[in-house]
Amino acid sequence: MHNRIYRITPLALSLIALLAAGGAVAAEKAAMNGPDGVTVTLDAARLSALPATEAVTSYRSSKGIETGIYKGVLLWDLLQAEGFVDQDHKSALRHTLLATAGDGHQVAYSIGEIAPDFGNRPIMLAYEMNGEPIADGLRMVVPGDLRGARHIKDIVTLDYR
Ligand SMILES: Nc1nc2c(c(=O)[nH]1)N[C@H]1C(S)=C(S)[C@@H](COP(=O)(O)O)O[C@H]1N2
Ligand SMILES: [Mo]
């Protein structure tokens, strides 16, 4: 009996540690399609490997002013990490990232607006809101936008074009 418990415990502990480590990021994942037919899965492991950033945003929606504290990765950092953005800035500026949600809502963001040398907008792919994993999937956070429409929720695909 004692022997049995002794053997199970380390396994149980490592499972708990694994769940706790993944717990910082929502279980939901999105597919990001890049140049040359490359597809990457944006899951907890991939996103938590990138530098985390936080932002407080307020936007106007039909329900009033929505305020949240978000944690995630900068879109720019994500695209850089995947090597999608062309080193030549004139060719990089041709591109956009189209986000599509589970309900069909779509928003396009441009490389020019997020590139540090150009628009430098800190647009973020968020996985946490108010200290909790976002239950309904990954969400874009657009600090500075007055209205909520580009804070697209439940992102299913991101297409770099
Ligand atoms: N997937 C998805 N995300 C969405 C929308 C939508 O219809 N579908 N509506 C947007 C709009 S227009 C607004 S104002 C906000 C509303 O966010 P709220 O429900 O937190 O107020 O979500 C944005 N994100
Ligand atoms: Mo909206």
Side-chain angles (χ1 to χ4, degrees), residues 15-56:
L15 282 175
I16 289 164
L18 204 67
L19 289 170
V25 178
E28 268 74 22
K29 39 187 170 184
M32 184 163 72
N33 302 310
D36 309 319
V38 178
T39 295
V40 298
T41 301
L42 301 178
D43 55 12
R46 199 134 194 163
L47 294 174
S48 56
L50 292 169
T53 183
E54 285 188 315
V56 180

Side-chain angles (χ1 to χ4, degrees), residues 63-159:
K63 289 178 235 155
I65 305 288
E66 302 282 339
T67 302
I69 305 166
Y70 293 94
K71 185 173 171 185
V73 298
L74 288 177
L75 217 45
W76 179 254
D77 289 347
L78 174 65
L79 294 175
Q80 287 297 318
E82 300 300 346
F84 286 2
V85 183
D86 210 306
Q87 288 306 300
D88 172 60
H89 66 277
K90 287 167 80 177
S91 15
L93 292 169
R94 291 180 193 133
H95 295 277
T96 54
L97 189 73
L98 178 68
T100 302
D103 63 359
H105 181 43
Q106 290 186 306
V107 180
Y109 308 86
S110 73
I111 295 307
E113 71 179 327
I114 62 170
D117 289 347
F118 295 92
N120 198 27
R121 294 283 303 274
I123 301 176
M124 177 203 303
L125 184 63
Y127 46 76
E128 249 185 65
M129 181 187 176
N130 301 331
E132 303 284 340
I134 301 173
D136 62 355
L138 298 170
R139 181 179 299 195
M140 208 66 84
V141 170
V142 193
D145 272 19
L146 299 182
R147 293 182 61 171
R150 298 205 302 165
H151 287 68
I152 181 170
K153 304 169 187 184
D154 181 28
I155 297 171
V156 174
T157 52
L158 291 165
D159 293 292

